[in-house]
Amino acid sequence: MGSTRYEKPFANRASEWAGDLAVWTRQNAGDNSERLERLRRSLRQARERELTSRQRQLLELYYEQGMTIPQIAEELGLNRSTVSRTLRRARDRLYRCLRYAL
């Protein structure tokens, strides 16, 4: 009976603690805009230098135009698995190029 008396106040305090942590994180987080800009610059360079024209085309359709894999396959007359594999290879190649960029 005694333990139920204390459960409710701790439950309420837990949500306050999470809010306090969020505020502290925002106040003490470093500005990483320089790192993000460097990553964007490296990504642009890697896309141009490391990817094939087909990989660049599929990445643009998928990420920038928001098309789905079946839509891309239909528009370009490709098999869905070909689109999926090409996107995977492009992402893998970009990852290998960029993992040491920061």
Side-chain angles (χ1 to χ4, degrees), residues 2 14 50-51 55-56 58 60 73-74 82 89 93 97:
E50 301 296 328
L51 299 182
Q55 288 172 335
R56 283 193 302 272
L58 294 182
E60 181 181 337
E74 185 177 329
T82 302
R89 287 180 184 141
R93 187 176 279 185
C97 293

Side-chain angles (χ1 to χ4, degrees), residues 29-42 44 102:
D31 181 20
N32 62 354
S33 59
E34 182 180 319
R35 293 179 72 193
L36 285 174
E37 183 55 37
R38 188 172 46 217
L39 179 61
R40 286 185 189 107
R41 191 171 43 250
S42 297
R44 281 191 300 271
L102 296 175

